[in-house]
Amino acid sequence: MKTITFFLPYIWIVQLIFHSAVYASPTYKFAVVPKSLNNDFFDVVRMGCEGKAKELGNVECVYVGSLEENATEQAQIVRGLVQNASVDGIAISVINTEVANEVIGEAIAANIPVITFDSDAPESQRLAFIGTDNEAFGDELGKV
């Protein structure tokens, strides 16, 4: 049950993004770029994204990433989404902040909103970060 509770905020995030955008345009396409495709945590994120997109009907969830964590590949994926102008928004779980700062800036310059989730690039131009404060989380665990 604790695992489900941990993942619920991420599912709600996806729902919030989709729900707020769905009324402004007939069709939206959002990309979720995880750290890697071989991580069960991100499978839950994918399921939440795809589930809410199906529920709304006029939203497509594009789940794209590299099999293993690779910051260069992640940047190439984001650049491809930006250069092709193929999405209306991007959510990225950052592998390397320096690399991410640059591609997030490119997306923002192309008027594609970007949020970070799970891991942040606080010096980037991202619009929001959704995740846990791991230091505070560790402090609280230490009290248990």
Side-chain angles (χ1 to χ4, degrees):
M1 187 63 175
K2 290 181 182 179
T3 301
I4 292 172
T5 304
F6 178 76
F7 288 120
L8 283 176
Y10 293 102
I11 294 169
W12 291 333
I13 291 161
V14 172
Q15 291 178 345
L16 175 65
I17 292 167
F18 285 152
H19 192 72
S20 64
V22 74
Y23 297 106
S25 176
T27 304
Y28 273 98
K29 186 186 284 189
F30 293 102
V32 175
V33 184
K35 288 181 182 174
S36 68
L37 297 177
N38 65 353
N39 183 320
D40 292 341
F41 170 79
F42 295 111
D43 288 342
V44 175
V45 173
R46 177 187 49 79
M47 289 184 292
C49 180
E50 291 172 350
K52 191 63 177 183
K54 184 177 180 180
E55 177 186 325
L56 293 171
N58 64 338
V59 174
E60 180 182 348
C61 174
V62 177
Y63 183 77
V64 60
S66 55
L67 188 59
E68 301 290 330
E69 283 190 30
N70 183 310
T72 303
E73 286 182 24
Q74 187 179 54
Q76 290 171 342
I77 289 166
V78 173
R79 273 197 185 97
L81 294 167
V82 171
Q83 290 170 351
N84 295 328
S86 59
V87 294
D88 298 295
I90 299 170
I92 180 173
S93 181
V94 175
I95 297 170
N96 178 296
T97 56
E98 290 180 24
V99 175
N101 288 347
E102 185 177 330
V103 296
I104 290 170
E106 292 170 18
I108 297 296
N111 294 317
I112 299 173
V114 177
I115 64 166
T116 57
F117 71 99
D118 177 55
S119 57
D120 196 14
E123 303 300 317
S124 72
Q125 296 176 330
R126 54 91 169 129
L127 301 178
F129 166 67
I130 302 159
T132 57
D133 178 337
N134 290 333
E135 188 173 321
F137 181 67
D139 288 343
E140 291 302 312
L141 281 177
K143 294 175 185 178
V144 175

